[in-house]
Amino acid sequence: MRRFIFIPVFIAFFVMSVVAQEKTAKTDWSDTTRDVLIDGEIDRSAQVLSAGQPTRLALLSPKFEKAILLDVNSKSVNTVAKDIWKFSPDKSSATTEGTIELKPIGKYVRVDGANSSFVYTFNAEGKMIVIRAHPGLTGELTEDKVWATVPVWRAGMDTHKPDAKAVAAIKASDKETNITIIFGTWCGDSKHYVPQLLKALHEANNPKLKIKLVGIDNQFNQPTDVVQPRKLINVPTVIVERGGREIGRIIETPATASVEEDLATILQEKPLTHNGRWDRVVKLGQGVYEYRDAFGKTVGKEDWELFSTAEGGYMIHSRVTTGDLTTEIFHRINAKKNPTFVEVTKTQGDNLTRTRYNIDDHSLSATLRGNVSGGVKQTLEIPAQLAMASPCVAAEGWMSAQVREGQVTSYLVPREFANTAGTLFTINNQSLNEENVKTPAGEFRAQHIIRMTGKETSEWWVHSQLGIPVRGKLANGTEFVLTSLEVAPKN
């Protein structure tokens, strides 16, 4: 009898002690700023890393002997040795490879948090752990406060080697200047560029430059006396002022090779043009459309550039001007001609809004920011095939390429400044014959397409090779025509 009882007890003990060995290829991990609560108290010394394929989160804290790894696919909580991660010098990324020994210790509970984020709750070493989104420090901050909240940022500053010429130019600036660095401690771009800029300012050590650090929350609501008056739509934003006059600003990413070079350029009061942060491989062409009303009067224009992208898709960067409204659009599609990203920035007088649309196989998420509406978010479930109707006429040809004939669901990006969220609707395309179409930019072979949305009809003549419209008539009666076109020569 004793022998019979002993065996299952031994087997149970053995099963509980099993350590799974996992041999993996190289996995890339990124630092992700989260709030980690251990028994209800925030642990600012903890670092959370994220990885995809498989999707995992790792928690490293000096309060635990081992790291804690959450596997999203199995919803399991595991412990693992801390030394499996090989960190970059700035601690913002790491890699793992080879054999990893995982010891399962339970399961986690995941619930939807604010702003489409997730909250993870689990137990480890007898402690209750919560991992949640970091809302961000707000208001005027000291460097020490920033380093204490996001310690990885300090490593980013210590390891950065600023451009020597830019530092010399910053040091040589001899006018009293106020530099306000507005950022989010929750923001990846802020984590990258703010420490780099601070390192350059430390090395320049220019007493003429008065530096102020201001944190904002991840909803762009607080502090209210900064977000809206300063027209913030991206972080970090660096505002440079002299004598109460703004002489320039750095928005989100550098326009030049480095953030310190941007600052040096602004301090010399030279113009600084930012062409957008989005990657582009080869410029394939550029052109201009003229917009005309029903009487043939010019009512606006659109300047656009077409690029290939690293993943085998395409991106159009367009600037539309109609009256006092200027709309800048970045519209991307992947190699399958499916939309993946659209950014729309509208400026009208003193008002400014920026909306980013991210599209995957199952959902569309839109985030709007501006000095009028604050922060607005929209999330929609979408069909496997979706088209995007953006204010960029040049990109509308892609919609016709997706569905030459028949129906497709499309998301309508509002053209008007006051509109915030878009809507889903059904498009019916009727493809007619190819025709020779004369425009001020030349004569082109183009596919004639009739597009119907409800009771509204529009006409499009789409370039047979480039896939961009050369002429058309929108549902509101506005006509557009290609007035110039430059196509890059084929290699």
Side-chain angles (χ1 to χ4, degrees):
M1 179 66 80
R2 291 179 181 173
R3 183 182 182 89
F4 179 75
I5 294 174
F6 176 77
I7 291 174
V9 172
F10 175 79
I11 292 174
F13 175 77
F14 177 77
V15 170
M16 291 176 64
S17 302
V18 166
V19 175
Q21 288 195 341
E22 178 182 83
K23 190 173 183 179
T24 63
K26 181 181 177 181
T27 301
D28 293 320
W29 298 76
S30 298
D31 174 79
T32 175
T33 304
R34 306 287 181 96
D35 279 352
V36 177
L37 287 83
I38 302 175
D39 285 341
E41 294 185 3
I42 290 184
D43 179 11
R44 292 298 186 198
S45 62
Q47 182 176 16
V48 178
L49 303 171
S50 65
Q53 300 180 351
T55 304
R56 288 174 167 175
L57 289 178
L59 168 61
L60 291 84
S61 168
K63 296 186 178 181
F64 295 104
E65 182 180 350
K66 291 192 173 184
I68 299 171
L69 189 147
L70 279 59
D71 187 288
V72 174
N73 295 328
S74 64
K75 295 186 177 180
S76 64
V77 181
N78 311 268
T79 58
V80 63
K82 290 182 177 179
D83 61 5
I84 66 170
W85 281 277
K86 307 301 180 186
F87 280 89
S88 61
D90 64 2
K91 305 296 182 183
S92 66
S93 62
T95 59
T96 56
E97 56 185 327
T99 301
I100 299 176
E101 293 187 349
L102 299 174
K103 181 180 179 181
I105 60 172
K107 298 282 186 177
Y108 66 78
V109 175
R110 187 178 77 175
V111 297
D112 290 337
N115 312 314
S116 303
S117 63
F118 293 117
V119 178
Y120 298 87
T121 305
F122 55 93
N123 286 283
E125 296 185 10
K127 296 180 175 63
M128 173 65 72
I129 301 174
V130 177
I131 301 176
R132 68 187 185 192
H134 173 61
L137 298 177
T138 60
E140 190 168 346
L141 304 170
T142 64
E143 283 191 35
D144 288 342
K145 180 65 174 177
V146 175
W147 308 146
T149 304
V150 277
V152 169
W153 289 34
R154 180 60 182 265
M157 184 182 74
D158 291 342
T159 57
H160 179 56
K161 296 180 179 179
D163 178 80
K165 290 183 178 180
V167 170
I170 295 170
K171 186 178 183 66
S173 181
D174 60 355
K175 297 179 181 179
E176 296 285 345
T177 306
N178 293 320
I179 300 174
T180 306
I181 304 173
I182 306 170
F183 60 95
T185 49
W186 46 269
C187 168
D189 287 320
S190 296
K191 173 173 61 180
H192 186 69
Y193 293 111
V194 171
Q196 292 185 3
L197 180 57
L198 290 174
K199 180 66 171 291
L201 288 167
H202 286 319
E203 290 194 2
N205 193 25
N206 186 338
K208 295 286 187 179
L209 308 181
K210 308 303 180 185
I211 316 300
K212 180 189 291 187
L213 300 176
V214 180
I216 69 171
D217 72 304
N218 58 13
Q219 289 303 290
F220 278 65
N221 291 325
Q222 299 294 331
T224 55
D225 61 342
V226 173
V227 175
Q228 293 191 13
R230 294 291 198 171
K231 299 181 183 180
L232 299 180
I233 57 173
N234 299 300
V235 285
T237 294
V238 181
I239 301 175
V240 185
E241 297 166 302
R242 281 181 180 151
R245 175 179 63 92
E246 181 176 324
I247 63 172
R249 63 172 62 188
I250 304 167
I251 302 176
E252 195 171 32
T253 58
T256 61
S258 67
V259 67
E260 58 265 23
E261 186 178 339
D262 272 22
L263 179 59
T265 302
I266 293 171
L267 290 173
Q268 297 172 55
E269 300 196 31
K270 294 180 179 178
L272 191 63
T273 302
H274 201 307
N275 293 319
R277 63 173 296 165
W278 314 112
D279 69 292
R280 56 203 77 181
V281 177
V282 176
K283 186 174 181 178
L284 303 176
Q286 65 183 40
V288 178
Y289 293 109
E290 183 179 275
Y291 290 4
R292 301 169 180 171
D293 64 15
F295 302 99
K297 180 182 177 181
T298 299
V299 294
K301 72 170 186 174
E302 175 178 337
D303 297 88
W304 58 270
E305 302 170 292
L306 173 65
F307 300 89
S308 62
T309 61
E311 68 270 20
Y314 299 92
M315 182 185 75
I316 282 181
H317 175 209
S318 176
R319 185 182 294 271
V320 180
T321 305
T322 54
D324 64 345
L325 175 63
T326 299
T327 307
E328 185 176 21
I329 306 107
F330 292 89
H331 193 131
R332 293 171 66 98
I333 60 173
N334 60 20
K336 296 180 180 179
K337 291 186 167 59
N338 293 321
T340 58
F341 177 82
V342 176
E343 178 181 282
V344 180
T345 302
K346 300 175 185 175
T347 306
Q348 190 171 44
D350 291 333
N351 297 322
L352 176 69
T353 66
R354 188 226 68 197
T355 310
R356 284 180 178 165
Y357 303 87
N358 290 283
I359 307 103
D360 59 25
D361 294 336
H362 307 291
S363 65
L364 177 149
S365 62
T367 304
L368 180 143
R369 294 169 181 162
N371 65 315
V372 175
S373 57
V376 177
K377 286 208 170 191
Q378 180 187 33
T379 302
L380 295 174
E381 293 295 321
I382 60 173
Q385 186 178 40
L386 179 78
M388 291 288 290
S390 75
C392 172
V393 162
E396 291 293 282
W398 291 341
M399 190 187 305
S400 303
Q402 280 183 284
V403 180
R404 287 280 181 167
E405 203 77 38
Q407 290 188 347
V408 62
T409 299
S410 179
Y411 181 90
L412 176 63
V413 177
R415 287 178 175 268
E416 300 79 9
F417 184 87
N419 285 359
T420 54
T423 56
L424 292 173
F425 64 101
T426 301
I427 288 178
N428 286 278
N429 276 352
Q430 180 182 357
S431 182
L432 304 179
N433 297 328
E434 281 196 354
E435 305 173 9
N436 288 327
V437 179
K438 291 184 178 181
T439 74
E443 184 172 343
F444 307 99
R445 193 71 177 166
Q447 184 78 42
H448 188 190
I449 295 170
I450 305 296
R451 183 177 299 166
M452 291 160 283
T453 59
K455 296 182 180 180
E456 296 184 334
T457 301
S458 59
E459 285 189 275
W460 305 77
W461 282 268
V462 179
H463 194 289
S464 299
Q465 294 178 330
L466 284 180
I468 56 101
V470 297
R471 180 185 290 276
K473 185 175 182 179
L474 304 178
N476 64 3
T478 302
E479 295 184 346
F480 65 90
V481 62
L482 193 65
T483 58
S484 72
L485 176 67
E486 296 179 29
V487 180
K490 294 183 178 180
N491 293 331

